[in-house]
Amino acid sequence: LAKTTQPISMDSYEGQEVNITCSHNNIATNDYITWYQQFPSQGPRFIIQGYKTKVTNEVASLFIPADRKSSTLSLPRVSLSDTAVYYCLVVQNTGGFKTIFGAGTRLFVKA
Amino acid sequence: GAVVSQHPSWVICKSGTSVKIECRSLDFQATTMFWYRQFPKQSLMLMATSNEGSKATYEQGVEKDKFLINHASLTLSTLTVTSAHPEDSSFYICSAREGGGNYGYTFGSGTRLTVV
Protein backbone atom coordinates (compact mmCIF):
# COMPACT_ATOMS: atom_id res chain seq x y z
CA LEU A 1 0.00 0.00 0.00
CA ALA A 2 1.34 3.37 -0.98
CA LYS A 3 2.11 5.61 1.96
CA THR A 4 0.91 9.19 1.84
CA THR A 5 2.39 12.33 3.36
CA GLN A 6 0.43 15.53 3.90
CA PRO A 7 0.95 18.72 5.89
CA ILE A 8 -0.36 18.30 9.41
CA SER A 9 -2.32 21.52 9.41
CA MET A 10 -3.19 24.57 7.33
CA ASP A 11 -4.90 27.86 8.05
CA SER A 12 -6.90 29.92 5.59
CA TYR A 13 -9.47 32.70 5.43
CA GLU A 14 -12.96 32.65 4.08
CA GLY A 15 -13.14 33.17 0.33
CA GLN A 16 -9.60 32.03 -0.35
CA GLU A 17 -8.56 29.07 -2.46
CA VAL A 18 -6.89 26.30 -0.50
CA ASN A 19 -4.48 23.80 -2.01
CA ILE A 20 -3.47 20.73 -0.04
CA THR A 21 -0.68 18.63 -1.50
CA CYS A 22 -0.15 14.96 -0.81
CA SER A 23 2.97 12.93 -1.59
CA HIS A 24 2.67 9.28 -2.59
CA ASN A 25 6.04 8.37 -4.03
CA ASN A 26 5.46 4.62 -4.28
CA ILE A 27 2.07 4.73 -5.96
CA ALA A 28 1.40 1.69 -8.15
CA THR A 29 0.00 1.54 -11.66
CA ASN A 30 -3.42 0.35 -10.51
CA ASP A 31 -3.76 2.86 -7.69
CA TYR A 32 -6.23 5.73 -7.67
CA ILE A 33 -5.96 8.84 -5.53
CA THR A 34 -8.94 9.65 -3.36
CA TRP A 35 -9.59 12.51 -0.97
CA TYR A 36 -11.93 12.51 1.99
CA GLN A 37 -13.20 15.15 4.39
CA GLN A 38 -13.98 14.45 8.01
CA PHE A 39 -15.77 16.57 10.57
CA PRO A 40 -15.53 15.81 14.29
CA SER A 41 -17.55 12.78 15.37
CA GLN A 42 -18.55 11.93 11.81
CA GLY A 43 -17.38 9.38 9.29
CA PRO A 44 -15.19 10.55 6.42
CA ARG A 45 -16.99 11.89 3.38
CA PHE A 46 -15.80 11.29 -0.19
CA ILE A 47 -14.67 14.46 -1.96
CA ILE A 48 -12.96 13.48 -5.19
CA GLN A 49 -11.04 10.72 -6.90
CA GLY A 50 -8.63 10.71 -9.80
CA TYR A 51 -6.00 8.71 -11.65
CA LYS A 52 -4.09 11.32 -13.63
CA THR A 53 -4.18 14.92 -14.90
CA LYS A 54 -7.10 16.93 -13.55
CA VAL A 55 -10.48 16.04 -12.15
CA THR A 56 -13.11 18.57 -11.16
CA ASN A 57 -16.48 18.22 -9.49
CA GLU A 58 -18.89 20.58 -7.81
CA VAL A 59 -16.83 20.93 -4.63
CA ALA A 60 -13.16 20.52 -5.55
CA SER A 61 -10.48 19.93 -8.12
CA LEU A 62 -7.75 17.35 -8.04
CA PHE A 63 -4.49 17.90 -9.85
CA ILE A 64 -2.20 14.95 -10.53
CA PRO A 65 1.12 15.38 -12.35
CA ALA A 66 2.32 12.95 -14.96
CA ASP A 67 4.52 10.95 -12.57
CA ARG A 68 1.56 10.61 -10.14
CA LYS A 69 3.90 10.80 -7.15
CA SER A 70 1.88 13.63 -5.68
CA SER A 71 -1.55 15.17 -5.93
CA THR A 72 -3.11 18.48 -4.96
CA LEU A 73 -6.62 18.97 -3.69
CA SER A 74 -7.91 22.43 -4.52
CA LEU A 75 -10.86 23.90 -2.62
CA PRO A 76 -12.13 27.10 -4.24
CA ARG A 77 -13.36 29.95 -2.05
CA VAL A 78 -13.46 28.13 1.27
CA SER A 79 -15.97 28.96 3.96
CA LEU A 80 -15.99 28.42 7.71
CA SER A 81 -17.83 25.13 7.18
CA ASP A 82 -14.84 23.75 5.29
CA THR A 83 -12.91 23.55 8.56
CA ALA A 84 -12.23 19.83 8.79
CA VAL A 85 -9.57 17.16 8.40
CA TYR A 86 -8.73 16.19 4.84
CA TYR A 87 -7.28 12.79 4.05
CA CYS A 88 -5.46 11.71 0.92
CA LEU A 89 -5.63 7.98 0.21
CA VAL A 90 -4.13 5.78 -2.45
CA VAL A 91 -6.32 2.80 -3.21
CA GLN A 92 -6.46 0.10 -5.84
CA ASN A 93 -9.69 0.72 -7.70
CA THR A 94 -10.76 -2.88 -7.94
CA GLY A 95 -12.73 -3.04 -4.71
CA GLY A 96 -12.07 -5.18 -1.70
CA PHE A 97 -8.71 -3.59 -1.00
CA LYS A 98 -8.19 -2.07 2.37
CA THR A 99 -7.85 1.63 2.81
CA ILE A 100 -5.10 2.90 5.07
CA PHE A 101 -5.43 6.43 6.36
CA GLY A 102 -2.49 8.73 6.85
CA ALA A 103 -2.42 11.52 9.40
CA GLY A 104 -4.52 13.89 7.30
CA THR A 105 -4.41 17.68 7.08
CA ARG A 106 -6.34 19.73 9.60
CA LEU A 107 -7.68 22.79 7.76
CA PHE A 108 -8.85 25.71 9.82
CA VAL A 109 -10.77 28.44 8.01
CA LYS A 110 -10.94 31.77 9.74
CA ALA A 111 -13.46 34.56 9.26
CA GLY B 1 -25.23 7.70 -4.17
CA ALA B 2 -24.16 4.81 -1.99
CA VAL B 3 -25.23 5.01 1.63
CA VAL B 4 -23.79 3.16 4.61
CA SER B 5 -25.84 3.16 7.78
CA GLN B 6 -24.18 2.56 11.12
CA HIS B 7 -25.97 1.93 14.41
CA PRO B 8 -25.98 2.90 17.14
CA SER B 9 -24.48 6.36 16.78
CA TRP B 10 -23.43 6.28 20.41
CA VAL B 11 -23.50 3.78 23.23
CA ILE B 12 -22.48 3.71 26.87
CA CYS B 13 -21.84 0.38 28.51
CA LYS B 14 -20.45 -0.99 31.72
CA SER B 15 -17.05 -2.66 31.93
CA GLY B 16 -17.24 -6.36 31.22
CA THR B 17 -20.28 -6.20 28.99
CA SER B 18 -20.40 -6.64 25.20
CA VAL B 19 -21.57 -4.18 22.61
CA LYS B 20 -22.64 -4.84 19.03
CA ILE B 21 -22.31 -2.25 16.27
CA GLU B 22 -24.09 -2.71 12.95
CA CYS B 23 -22.98 -1.51 9.54
CA ARG B 24 -25.43 -1.74 6.64
CA SER B 25 -25.06 -0.88 2.98
CA LEU B 26 -28.52 0.50 2.21
CA ASP B 27 -28.65 0.57 -1.56
CA PHE B 28 -25.84 -1.64 -2.72
CA GLN B 29 -24.21 -4.94 -1.97
CA ALA B 30 -20.84 -5.01 -0.30
CA THR B 31 -18.83 -8.21 -0.25
CA THR B 32 -16.18 -6.39 1.72
CA MET B 33 -16.53 -3.91 4.53
CA PHE B 34 -13.89 -2.35 6.74
CA TRP B 35 -13.87 -1.46 10.41
CA TYR B 36 -11.84 1.39 11.86
CA ARG B 37 -11.37 2.96 15.24
CA GLN B 38 -10.40 6.53 15.86
CA PHE B 39 -9.14 8.16 19.02
CA PRO B 40 -9.54 11.92 19.62
CA LYS B 41 -7.48 14.06 17.25
CA GLN B 42 -5.99 10.99 15.61
CA SER B 43 -6.45 9.41 12.21
CA LEU B 44 -8.56 6.36 11.47
CA MET B 45 -6.86 3.08 12.26
CA LEU B 46 -7.91 0.05 10.25
CA MET B 47 -8.94 -2.78 12.55
CA ALA B 48 -10.15 -5.46 10.18
CA THR B 49 -11.52 -6.32 6.79
CA SER B 50 -14.91 -7.99 6.89
CA ASN B 51 -15.62 -10.48 4.11
CA GLU B 52 -19.11 -11.76 3.39
CA GLY B 53 -19.40 -15.45 4.12
CA SER B 54 -15.89 -15.88 5.45
CA LYS B 55 -13.69 -14.95 8.35
CA ALA B 56 -12.58 -11.41 8.84
CA THR B 57 -8.97 -10.42 8.34
CA TYR B 58 -7.57 -8.55 11.31
CA GLU B 59 -4.75 -6.03 11.29
CA GLN B 60 -1.69 -6.71 13.36
CA GLY B 61 -2.24 -5.96 17.03
CA VAL B 62 -6.04 -6.20 16.89
CA GLU B 63 -7.43 -8.99 19.08
CA LYS B 64 -9.83 -11.05 17.01
CA ASP B 65 -11.39 -12.62 20.09
CA LYS B 66 -12.16 -9.23 21.53
CA PHE B 67 -13.46 -7.60 18.37
CA LEU B 68 -15.78 -10.15 16.79
CA ILE B 69 -16.79 -9.43 13.23
CA ASN B 70 -19.64 -11.12 11.41
CA HIS B 71 -20.52 -10.44 7.78
CA ALA B 72 -23.44 -12.77 7.23
CA SER B 73 -25.04 -11.01 4.30
CA LEU B 74 -24.05 -8.73 1.44
CA THR B 75 -25.52 -5.73 3.21
CA LEU B 76 -24.67 -6.23 6.86
CA SER B 77 -21.51 -6.48 8.90
CA THR B 78 -21.41 -6.37 12.68
CA LEU B 79 -18.62 -5.60 15.11
CA THR B 80 -19.01 -6.88 18.66
CA VAL B 81 -16.71 -5.51 21.32
CA THR B 82 -16.60 -8.27 23.92
CA SER B 83 -15.87 -7.76 27.60
CA ALA B 84 -15.43 -4.08 27.02
CA HIS B 85 -13.06 -2.02 29.14
CA PRO B 86 -12.58 1.73 29.42
CA GLU B 87 -9.60 1.60 27.06
CA ASP B 88 -11.96 0.32 24.35
CA SER B 89 -13.76 3.65 24.45
CA SER B 90 -13.34 5.11 21.00
CA PHE B 91 -15.06 6.15 17.79
CA TYR B 92 -15.73 3.13 15.58
CA ILE B 93 -16.37 3.59 11.86
CA CYS B 94 -17.23 1.16 9.09
CA SER B 95 -16.90 1.56 5.34
CA ALA B 96 -17.88 -0.26 2.18
CA ARG B 97 -17.47 0.24 -1.52
CA GLU B 98 -20.10 -0.11 -4.19
CA GLY B 99 -18.71 -2.41 -6.82
CA GLY B 100 -18.11 -0.79 -10.18
CA GLY B 101 -18.68 2.70 -8.87
CA ASN B 102 -16.11 5.40 -9.15
CA TYR B 103 -16.87 7.13 -5.88
CA GLY B 104 -14.39 5.56 -3.53
CA TYR B 105 -15.45 4.06 -0.26
CA THR B 106 -18.56 5.14 1.62
CA PHE B 107 -18.26 5.48 5.36
CA GLY B 108 -20.83 5.10 8.07
CA SER B 109 -21.49 7.96 10.45
CA GLY B 110 -19.55 6.25 13.22
CA THR B 111 -20.35 4.91 16.68
CA ARG B 112 -19.09 6.59 19.82
CA LEU B 113 -18.47 3.90 22.41
CA THR B 114 -17.95 4.87 26.02
CA VAL B 115 -17.15 2.15 28.53
CA VAL B 116 -17.66 3.11 32.16
Side-chain angles (χ1 to χ4, degrees), chain A:
Chain A
L1 292 171
K3 180 182 177 181
T4 60
T5 303
Q6 304 171 233
I8 295 298
S9 65
M10 294 180 69
D11 288 346
S12 182
Y13 288 92
E14 282 190 293
Q16 289 188 334
E17 177 185 79
V18 171
N19 296 308
I20 306 174
T21 297
C22 177
S23 296
H24 27 79
N25 291 319
N26 58 339
I27 189 170
T29 303
N30 293 333
D31 292 343
Y32 276 69
I33 299 149
T34 310
W35 285 79
Y36 289 87
Q37 175 192 56
Q38 187 184 29
F39 297 112
S41 297
Q42 294 185 27
R45 182 178 73 97
F46 173 86
I47 300 175
I48 198 166
Q49 177 176 287
Y51 183 80
K52 62 180 178 180
T53 63
K54 176 183 175 181
V55 179
T56 297
N57 62 21
E58 62 275 11
V59 297
S61 294
L62 179 60
F63 299 91
I64 305 169
D67 66 4
R68 303 200 327 121
K69 293 184 182 299
S70 67
S71 59
T72 299
L73 174 71
S74 181
L75 304 173
R77 299 179 298 280
V78 294
S79 63
L80 297 176
S81 62
D82 292 319
T83 294
V85 179
Y86 292 82
Y87 294 98
C88 160
L89 283 81
V90 174
V91 184
Q92 286 185 289
N93 199 36
T94 50
F97 288 89
K98 59 187 181 183
T99 308
I100 304 296
F101 280 76
T105 297
R106 192 172 296 274
L107 173 65
F108 186 68
V109 180
K110 306 173 187 176

Side-chain angles (χ1 to χ4, degrees), chain B residues 36 48 50 58 63 71 80 86 111:
Chain B
Y36 300 82
S50 172
Y58 291 82
E63 300 176 58
H71 194 156
T80 301
T111 298

Side-chain angles (χ1 to χ4, degrees), chain B residues 38-99:
Chain B
Q38 185 176 34
F39 293 107
K41 296 193 181 301
Q42 293 187 22
S43 183
L44 284 76
M45 184 193 78
L46 180 65
M47 300 176 65
T49 302
S50 172
N51 304 297
E52 188 270 334
S54 64
K55 293 183 179 180
T57 303
Y58 291 82
E59 294 300 302
Q60 189 172 7
V62 178
E63 300 176 58
K64 62 179 182 181
D65 294 330
K66 180 168 188 60
F67 299 99
L68 300 179
I69 292 173
N70 184 282
H71 194 156
S73 77
L74 288 172
T75 59
L76 174 65
S77 175
T78 61
L79 168 68
T80 301
V81 183
T82 63
S83 186
H85 292 283
E87 57 266 31
D88 298 323
S89 298
S90 188
F91 192 55
Y92 292 86
I93 308 170
C94 68
S95 77
R97 182 177 182 274
E98 183 178 12

